[in-house]
Amino acid sequence: MKVRNSLRGLKRKMNSIVVRRRGRTFVINKADRRQKARQG
């Protein structure tokens, strides 16, 4: 999982979901499981 300042690029990918947990923002992609990142 990458820690990034901006998740905007990952949000645009197909099948990606933005999730908020414990005050952090995560991007999870079920189709391409390598595309995971968090912010905060």
Side-chain angles (χ1 to χ4, degrees), residues 3 8 10-11 15 21 23 29 31 33-34 36 39:
V3 180
R8 191 178 298 153
L10 284 173
K11 276 189 222 174
N15 303 316
R21 293 181 192 151
N29 196 330
R33 295 210 174 255
R34 289 186 309 165
K36 286 192 297 191
Q39 180 178 11

Side-chain angles (χ1 to χ4, degrees), residues 21-36:
R21 293 181 192 151
R22 291 176 244 110
R24 296 187 171 149
T25 311
F26 295 86
V27 173
I28 302 165
N29 196 330
K30 297 271 179 164
D32 185 4
R33 295 210 174 255
R34 289 186 309 165
Q35 302 289 340
K36 286 192 297 191

